[in-house]
Amino acid sequence: DVKVTQSSRYLVKRTGEKVFLECVQDMDHENMFWYRQDPGLGLRLIYFSYDVKMKEKGDIPEGYSVSREKKERFSLILESASTNQTSMYLCASSLPYGEAFFGQGTRLTVV
Amino acid sequence: DAKTTQPPSMDCAEGRAANLPCNHSTISGNEYVYWYRQIHSQGPQYIIHGLKNNETNEMASLIITEDRKSSTLILPHATLRDTAVYYCIVKGDNQGGKLIFGQGTELSVKP
């Protein structure tokens, strides 16, 4: 079975903390994605990576950065967490062609 | 901005066919039509995709109009477990092919 694994299902962090969300895929996929999902706003793309060390901004990159040092791992970093970053975060991976596979999501609460 | 338009919600009787429409009038020649669905509290799940020919798999059928400006996802015998948000996405199959979600259609299958 193909697998995209997000490090935590639920996470609670304090305002101002540096937060790392980790995503690992075991399918040797080139493309990896980070989204956030909020009620009424759907899934919004934060960052996208199409190769190791390569990244592109999505629709809402402000307040976030990413790291892709190895092909299988794509990390989302909240440099200084704020309450408006409370959300469901979803990671996905895909080949350049074909379908994407999603993780189960990390529900982050910033207090 | 998403390049597709879908109705926000639809109902379907259990056991009947669910026909979900999608408009993608600005689709480019190298862009595929992808369908995903998201059941509550889970990551999105790939259903089917196509370029210009109709496609069928064990989950659904995809009908793409000849001009490729619209498509219909057909669930031939909807069950209660098909209740979900269905997303239609157009995506180029190349290295930089971002996966951008619109608002989707919330399908409710009723007994």
Side-chain angles (χ1 to χ4, degrees):
Chain A
D1 258 3
V2 297
K3 215 163 199 181
V4 178
T5 304
Q6 296 184 228
S7 53
S8 304
R9 191 84 168 98
Y10 299 95
L11 210 52
V12 180
K13 294 292 182 181
R14 295 197 180 277
T15 302
E17 272 194 80
K18 189 168 186 175
V19 181
F20 293 86
L21 302 184
E22 306 287 346
C23 177
V24 177
Q25 50 98 358
D26 64 359
M27 296 164 283
D28 203 34
H29 284 169
E30 283 82 359
N31 293 350
M32 295 190 75
F33 308 82
W34 273 107
Y35 297 87
R36 65 177 282 177
Q37 186 168 30
D38 303 286
L41 297 176
L43 281 98
R44 294 179 291 167
L45 182 65
I46 305 172
Y47 266 99
F48 161 59
S49 169
Y50 55 89
D51 203 349
V52 175
K53 297 189 189 292
M54 306 303 288
K55 62 185 179 187
E56 278 192 27
K57 294 179 180 178
D59 295 327
I60 50 163
E62 297 78 20
Y64 303 95
S65 62
V66 289
S67 172
R68 189 145 180 225
E69 295 296 318
K70 293 185 177 181
K71 192 174 186 180
E72 67 270 19
R73 186 179 296 269
F74 192 35
S75 303
L76 181 70
I77 303 156
L78 287 65
E79 296 289 343
S80 178
S82 64
T83 55
N84 63 13
Q85 293 177 310
T86 291
S87 187
M88 169 70 87
Y89 290 87
L90 287 154
C91 174
S93 74
S94 75
L95 292 167
Y97 46 88
E99 70 266 36
F101 296 86
F102 282 80
Q104 282 298 94
T106 296
R107 188 165 293 280
L108 173 68
T109 302
V110 182
V111 297
Chain B
D1 286 341
K3 296 191 276 187
T4 62
T5 305
Q6 299 176 254
S9 63
M10 291 181 62
D11 290 339
C12 178
E14 189 178 19
R16 304 297 293 268
N19 296 282
L20 292 94
C22 179
N23 287 321
H24 31 79
S25 57
T26 60
I27 192 169
S28 302
N30 67 342
E31 287 183 320
Y32 286 70
V33 180
Y34 283 79
W35 283 83
Y36 288 80
R37 74 179 182 185
Q38 187 175 24
I39 295 169
H40 183 62
S41 297
Q42 297 182 20
Q45 175 193 24
Y46 165 81
I47 302 172
I48 198 167
H49 75 286
L51 184 63
K52 54 184 177 181
N53 297 322
N54 298 337
E55 302 287 344
T56 295
N57 63 20
E58 65 278 3
M59 290 181 69
S61 295
L62 173 60
I63 309 296
I64 303 174
T65 57
E66 195 167 340
D67 64 7
R68 303 210 322 124
K69 292 184 177 182
S70 65
S71 60
T72 301
L73 179 75
I74 301 172
L75 308 178
H77 306 286
T79 71
L80 300 179
R81 286 177 294 182
D82 292 322
T83 292
V85 179
Y86 287 78
Y87 296 97
C88 167
I89 299 164
V90 294
K91 175 181 172 296
D93 269 356
N94 51 35
Q95 190 179 46
K98 297 180 186 178
L99 198 61
I100 305 294
F101 285 78
Q103 293 299 309
T105 296
E106 188 166 6
L107 175 69
S108 296
V109 181
K110 300 183 184 299

